Amino acid sequence: MQRGQRSNVILFLGAFLILFSTLVQAQDAIVYGEVRSLSGQALGFANVGISGTALGTSSDEEGFFLVEGLAPGSYRIMASFLGYESMQRQIELQSGDSLFIRFDLDQSSNTMDEVVVTGTLRAVKRLESPVPVEVYTPAFFRKNPTPNIYEALQNVNGVRPQLNCQVCNTGDIHINGLEGPYSMVLIDGMPIVSSLATVYGLSGIPNSLVERMEIVKGPASSLYGSEAIGGLINIITKKPENAPLFSADLMRTSWSESNVDLGARVNVGNVASVLTGLNYFHYGKPIDNNQDNFTDLTIQERVSVFQKWNFQRAENRLFTMAGRYYWEDRWGGELDWTPSFRGGDEVYGEAITTKRWELLGQYELPMAEKMLFSFSLNGHQQNSVYGDIPYVADQKIGFGQVTWDKKISRHNLLMGSALRYTYYDDNTPATGGDHADPKNSPVEIWLPGVFVQDEIRISPKQNLLVGLRYDHNNVHGNIFTPRLAYKWSITNKDIFRLNMGTGFRVVNLFTEDHAALTGAREVVIMEALKPERSLNISGNYTRKLYLQNGASGSLELSSWYTHFSNVILPDYDSNPTQIIYDNLDGSAVTKGISVNADLTLPSGLSFILGASLLDVSKEEGDIKERQILTERFSGTWALSYKFHNNAFAIDYTGNAYSPMKLPLAGPLDLRPAESPWWSIQNIQFSYKGWKGVELYAGVKNILNWTPWKNQAEPIIARAFDPFDRQVAFDAAGDVIPTADNPQALTFDPSYVYAPNQGIRAFFGLRYSKF
């Protein structure tokens, strides 16, 4: 029997039962209907219950349900399904009523049973993975809507977006206190966002493309190679077949920021399904609330176009391809700066134009064995000026990987071979000078590698994963990275994991540290830099919670210890006019503990809470120092309440950070050496009263907290003299204190730890048609 015929039969039987019940037992009422996802997919075997009674049922495989024997009165009926937000309806029943209800469930932010791929390169349920993987869905990010991935990560425990420049607002992502270059950002498992792209790349990924985000904290170099030394973020884009036919998300703030996300899905016969996405962001209103004559937020305009094809193949073999083009123009600086001053020394401004293209795909080979070929290509062009210093760079990266997934008895084997090629050229001494200079020598790095991984089922409740990767870098030679992971399912609700491994990282300073680009300080490289190495051990305990009142949630505890050698750290303190790079003659350590908890109550109230304690330090000789711009404590939260009609919801989100050590520009610098405790908090109200339409509005930074309100000294040192015309230097190049410059400072925009945007309202509209 076809699906449509079964559906008609079930509806006919439901109507017959309604008529029969009415005749036999006129005082009883009946509720019947269906449970589906927002995309229209039938949710078979969903739970449907009447609160306060023992009456309930499950939907059939087509999503249809029937509840009989209801006396006249008021009831609250609830539908729930694993991986989706539960939904409630308040109903009034009269004698003999027959009421049809359709539940359209939204994806849940509770992701314990999500399927993940990042930890092992194999699709497994999150609870079954021997490597801890955190999963975040669009339902989580919609609690505090943002125009891009970079800003969205502010509510993820242990992950912090870090601004690196007060003028152009470049930033990176800190995971467990480690700076951005220690973490790898993947798109659909491909190393798309790396090196040069890390400076601005994350702000160009719109949230509308994301199906889920998987985060692994700790080294993952044995599977992913260089840059995955501290953790990785894998952005999984939407599958075309799961996307709506058309979607739109329009948002605007009281700061005149505008964001537009559009999406459309089409089927190309029986050959493929295609998803197209367009993102446009614009901010063009210079604001200077701290009155330093510099923009508080960079002027920005960007466009991103994305398209993904899923091809239909025999035996459901995978073949998917995606492409994206990204363009952005931004500038920050003195308020009277215009493009006519670009690159000059009259009015200070930092202006960056970025053009970027990406192509990635996966193809399952047509053979009996499970073999997958993955590939990506991307090009990144940056044309920028920092005051009167130009920085023009061109980067191209090609990546290919073949994996073989094989199960033999108690062994799940994964073997693979990868090749990564990086081309990098700029106009700095890093590549021999300007592109037209005969001495110009672009950097070309070939990085072939092979890896093997074996997940062994020791017993029904214990798994052991062992892995080894070998890479050959044409500059640094042979590199080995082993890993070990152990998982013990203590009960069906309690899981313990232990992970150990090593990591490595090769460094391109000019693409990873924005301070090396601004021209604010001279860059000094002391010696030929060696690859950084790390040794990590971490533990994780996870417990699923199912309470008698129908509440559900989870509790997750983690601890880690990572030891780094050959660490490359920027030295801001030895000479205030320089940034000195050198391999640390000692070691660095990051250690800490974190807790994540979530709970969803039948009342419609839900909590997502996180907290981390960090200790990140370096030791050289007998001197131990804290890492700059690293908090000792961080906390995040998302408190939500859905009213019983499910149309109206409130979300209260926020984060809090303890003091951080800040980069001073010299021993006489009067700016605070530490930041204060600080917190960004937001509230949102949303309404889903019409099918396919959602209205949302709220306030960001409701405390109106900004760094400049909490200190007397200016945030940007000598903002009135950005070209250092009134600064006196001695013969060695050191700044001399003068009557006009008693603190012996130079222009310095790198003293930054939090955004300058104060309180602002936002409102938006979402529309989806399936």
Side-chain angles (χ1 to χ4, degrees), residues 519-544:
R521 303 189 187 195
E522 179 189 1
V523 175
V524 178
I525 301 175
M526 297 299 292
E527 61 180 55
L529 298 174
K530 303 173 185 177
E532 295 188 18
R533 290 281 196 172
S534 74
L535 176 63
N536 170 271
I537 182 170
S538 62
N540 173 272
Y541 168 75
T542 302
R543 179 174 177 80
K544 294 179 68 174

Side-chain angles (χ1 to χ4, degrees), residues 71 79 88 90 186 263 320 359 376 412 425 544 583 614 652 738 758:
Q88 301 179 49
Q90 189 72 30
L186 311 171
T320 179
L359 178 68
S376 66
N412 274 332
D425 190 18
K544 294 179 68 174
N583 283 116
L614 309 172
Y652 169 53
T738 63

Side-chain angles (χ1 to χ4, degrees), residues 102 111 177 245 259 375 707 710 724:
R102 172 167 168 159
T111 56
L245 290 173
N259 187 71
F375 63 91
N710 294 274
D724 291 336

Side-chain angles (χ1 to χ4, degrees), residues 11-23 30 66 68:
L11 286 174
F12 174 78
L13 289 175
F16 175 78
L17 287 171
I18 292 167
L19 177 61
F20 180 79
S21 300
T22 303
L23 294 174
I30 292 174
L66 174 67
E68 303 177 88

Side-chain angles (χ1 to χ4, degrees), residues 733-769:
D734 296 328
V735 181
I736 303 172
T738 63
D740 294 330
N741 188 16
Q743 300 176 39
L745 301 179
T746 58
F747 172 69
D748 179 24
S750 63
Y751 181 94
V752 56
Y753 59 92
N756 269 331
Q757 275 190 289
I759 188 170
R760 59 202 183 279
F762 67 92
F763 60 92
L765 178 147
R766 296 188 185 99
Y767 173 74
S768 297
K769 178 178 177 56

Side-chain angles (χ1 to χ4, degrees), residues 130-147:
V131 178
V133 180
E134 296 180 15
V135 181
Y136 297 91
T137 66
F140 174 83
F141 294 118
R142 284 198 297 266
K143 295 176 185 295
N144 178 33
T146 60

